[in-house]
Amino acid sequence: MTRNKLFAANWKMYKTPPQATEFVAAFLPMVADVTADDIALCAPAVCISAVAGAVKGSRIGVGAQNMHWEKEGAFTGEISAEMIAASGCQYVILGHSERRQYFGETDATVNRKLEVALEAGLTPIVCVGEVIEEREAGLTDDVLRRQCTSAFRGISAAKAAKLAIAYEPVWAIGTGKTATPQLAAQAHETIRHEASKAFGKGFAEKLRILYGGSVKPENAKALMSEAELDGALVGGASLDPKSFAAIVHYQA
Ligand code: PGA
């Protein structure tokens, strides 16, 4: 089964709206030849409208990096699924390890957010991955199983159709350490197995599982040559248009 790949930029807390617009102006011509794989730019919330305007008419999608699990309400400082969708997003990153580590995101909140994001018609990119102590203790599969089971709880296969997952070993994020393609592929198999248990085999075969953690132009080809890897969630190397375009063109 061949799945078209998804390359998603995670800009984290970088770029103002003018800087985001400048990125898109430079990036669009660099990826104009990409017609099979999908590309998304997950921008800071204040840049979403600017990015959505700048990519209009192209195949590039726009994403947010987080959202609240309630549809609306008295939640000062939060943004809802409907708000990001109406601002031009098709994608949203959920459960990123930085949200889990610094902002109290839990498996339970990821589950609530996932349900609301799917209802809003968004493509959620749910992040899972182990910390170094868990890997060293041989707990990687247990952690991935727990994170997937909790995230998928109560969600039907029909509802989950747009779901994508990102396997991001926490020890590889922003550290320059990348999982070997084989190690990443093993983790992806575990995740796909969990998806198969929750949503069925056919669903799992179509599910896109991205790899994230120090993906760079230099290692993208080796990583993407693993059939289990259906694209990448890219932090640091997505901030520069040339470098992100080189990752998207991993085959070149
Ligand atoms: P990195 O970040 O590419 O800078 O390691 C990836 C991520 O956090 O999504």
Side-chain angles (χ1 to χ4, degrees):
M1 156 118 226
T2 50
R3 298 171 290 261
N4 68 332
K5 294 195 193 309
L6 167 61
F7 293 92
N10 176 11
W11 285 348
K12 309 194 178 184
M13 200 172 74
Y14 292 97
K15 296 191 191 298
T16 61
Q19 288 166 344
T21 311
E22 203 182 309
F23 176 104
V24 176
F27 183 65
L28 276 184
M30 293 178 189
V31 294
D33 60 326
V34 178
T35 49
D37 292 335
D38 295 325
I39 304 172
L41 303 174
C42 299
V46 293
C47 295
I48 289 168
S49 293
V51 173
V55 300
K56 216 175 222 143
S58 78
R59 293 184 66 254
I60 297 176
V62 185
Q65 301 170 10
N66 181 37
M67 46 161 259
H68 197 266
W69 59 79
E70 291 289 350
K71 294 205 164 94
E72 61 183 1
F75 300 105
T76 302
E78 291 294 326
I79 49 173
S80 72
E82 188 188 347
M83 289 173 195
I84 58 176
S87 302
C89 284
Q90 302 84 36
Y91 296 84
V92 62
I93 299 173
L94 296 179
H96 189 278
S97 63
E98 285 151 16
R99 304 280 338 155
R100 295 178 192 255
Q101 194 177 348
Y102 306 125
F103 303 102
E105 187 87 271
T106 64
D107 291 339
T109 56
V110 173
N111 175 242
R112 294 178 73 178
K113 289 178 180 191
L114 177 58
E115 181 160 17
V116 173
L118 290 166
E119 260 169 32
L122 293 161
T123 294
I125 304 173
V126 173
C127 301
V128 295
E130 79 287 359
V131 298
I132 191 66
E133 294 79 13
E134 293 165 335
R135 173 154 291 273
E136 284 171 352
L139 295 173
T140 299
D141 280 354
D142 292 347
V143 171
L144 297 177
R145 277 191 218 112
R146 186 202 77 222
Q147 290 175 332
C148 288
T149 317
S150 307
F152 302 160
R153 189 164 292 143
I155 293 169
S156 68
K159 207 169 175 188
K162 286 188 174 174
L163 175 69
I165 305 280
Y167 169 58
E168 297 208 308
V170 180
W171 48 270
I173 296 177
T175 57
K177 286 185 203 155
T178 320
T180 60
Q182 296 72 24
L183 206 125
Q186 272 168 19
H188 284 221
E189 279 171 25
T190 302
I191 295 165
R192 206 174 294 287
H193 184 66
E194 284 310 303
S196 172
K197 284 200 294 190
F199 305 124
K201 196 157 180 280
F203 182 101
E205 277 169 6
K206 281 190 241 144
L207 175 68
R208 291 199 284 196
I209 306 177
L210 321 186
Y211 168 77
S214 298
V215 177
K216 305 261 177 305
E218 302 77 48
N219 59 27
K221 189 174 185 179
L223 286 163
M224 292 309 128
S225 65
E226 282 289 338
E228 266 295 334
L229 275 63
D230 306 313
L233 181 57
V234 187
S238 75
L239 293 171
D240 172 64
K242 260 202 208 122
S243 132
F244 190 45
I247 291 171
V248 172
H249 289 115
Y250 65 95
Q251 281 168 315

